[in-house]
Amino acid sequence: MSRLGWGRGLLFAAMGLFLLAPLVVVAGVSLNAKKRLFFPPEGLSLRWYLRAFEDPGWRQAIENSLLLAALSALVAVSIALPVAYLLWRRRWRLVRMLFVAGVAPFMLPPVITALGLMIFWATLGLYGRFENLVLSHGIFLVALPLITLKLGFDSIDPEVVEAARTLGADDRRLFATVLWPLVRPYALSGYAFAFVLSLNEYIIAYMVAGFTVETLPIKIFNALRYGYSPVMAAVAVGFVLVAGLVFGLFARFGDLPRMMGRLR
Amino acid sequence: MKADRSAPPGHIQRLLLLYPGVLLAALFGLPFLIMLAVSVFRRQVEAFYEPAFTLANYAKLLEPLYLERLLFSLWIAALVATVSILVAVPFAWLLARSAHRTQSLWLVALLAVLSLSEVIVGFAWSLLLSRTAGLSNLLVWLGLLDQPRAWTPGFGAMLAGYLYLVLPYAVLTLYPAASRVDPELAEAARTLGASELRAFLTVVVPVLRPAMTAGWILSFVFTLGVYLIPQILGRPQHWTLSVLITDQAVYQSNLPLAAALAAVLLAASLLLIALAGRAGGSGRRA
């Protein structure tokens, strides 16, 4: 390890600087005392953080985004759980097709899914409804709980299942007493993943209901066009903190390297 | 033994499929089919579109304006994917050799950045490259620059924003393969007298080549999907196909043209993802 020495240190430092620099500036700007975007900040104040909650427009956007993320992540997990379970339990072709269909929207450029959903809701004459947005995000984000749950089911020790069967457990009982407790952490991480990504998602929210439901990313982008304000920086810091917190919890309570595909 | 798969199919399990099946078919399958249908329809401003069969929307792609955007999109995607992979390969390999705790920490950082909205990334970089809050102030303070300057919007700013989105993605696609490389391979090369860098280039890189190809293609597709960075950090001449699709659909109310452009993007992406699957697949067997 030591012989990798300075080259490794240099690359890691450069990457760290590249990833951190814009975030540091955003955090600095959010602390400005006056309504100016200086870095380093002139005077220190947390008023822009308060403003994000006091201003009715920002407050509404925060509520919209949190509700959307909470509900659409639930939709995503509820679709992913039966697919992941049956993928493990049965070798049905249809299940494998559903798995691919669930992962696909996430692999493709999101603008394609966004346009598809926009045309779909417009054709139904249901453009711009919050419920549609929840379903649209739910479908788009199925990939995440699907992948974490597949990982969860695959990691179940076959001998545990065998033992439960020998003791006479049927499918339902096996699921309730053995499988669900084992895959619950994976369902939870899938939910958290989907929650964070729904919170940050712009294009689908914009094309499905952009003119009627203002989510936080949409609000920030609209605000960008009318000039910058430190409130935007404060909200952006909130996004970074939520993402850092969620993935930090993954690392704390789970094996993040294994989850991201490490085998050794 | 896994669960008993030879057992007679249960009715409850079939019913269980109904819910995800119906939702995925209705909200994923159907919208794609409608979109493909609309791509051959005619534009009709009041009603979004009117049924017809015309290839005029696809023919538009051959007009200089659209052709230029298409070529620019491909060029920027190739550039960003190449730079990202070149940095991501040594980074992923060194990361996979690090202590478990170090790896966890970096993965948290990479995932957090990757999950950030393009709006946030664009906003953050436009601040960093701005005149009042930006990097140029630091350079003035250091005496390297006469007065603060704004570097955004511009091609460089856009490139930085792109790399900020794609680099973590490239690292995370290479990480599984990098962690599977036997560390003793490079060790053996060094024992035979090769330098650290030489061992990496002649032993590790060839082993990682299939994963690099797959990672490059996935990063390419990922870059094609970026839609806000060119609008926030670039100028109109930097707009890509993804921006054009949104623009046609939302501002020009030309759903058929947007659908045709999206269909082309879809076809290109599917083809590339299939290629990436083959490249990555052959690597796993090796």
Side-chain angles (χ1 to χ4, degrees), chain A residues 138-170:
Chain A
I139 287 288
F140 177 62
L141 299 170
V142 163
L144 298 157
L146 208 47
I147 290 168
T148 57
L149 279 167
K150 183 180 187 310
L151 205 65
F153 278 108
D154 286 347
S155 69
I156 290 172
D157 186 349
E159 286 186 17
V160 176
V161 178
E162 187 64 38
R165 290 258 185 237
T166 314
L167 292 172
D170 59 3

Side-chain angles (χ1 to χ4, degrees), chain B residues 118-198:
Chain B
E118 271 190 52
V119 181
I120 311 263
V121 172
F123 171 60
W125 275 94
S126 71
L127 280 179
L128 182 66
L129 299 175
S130 72
R131 200 168 50 79
T132 53
L135 207 55
S136 64
N137 287 298
L138 185 68
L139 297 181
V140 170
W141 187 76
L142 289 171
L144 295 170
L145 207 68
D146 288 336
Q147 51 180 344
R149 292 176 50 187
W151 285 311
T152 174
F155 185 79
M158 186 179 80
L159 197 60
Y162 264 112
L163 287 173
Y164 197 79
L165 289 171
V166 181
L167 200 50
Y169 183 80
V171 172
L172 290 177
T173 55
L174 284 171
Y175 176 73
S179 70
R180 275 165 224 171
V181 177
D182 190 347
E184 287 178 14
L185 266 179
E187 196 56 49
R190 279 195 302 271
T191 315
L192 296 172
S195 71
E196 192 69 49
L197 187 64
R198 219 181 131 79

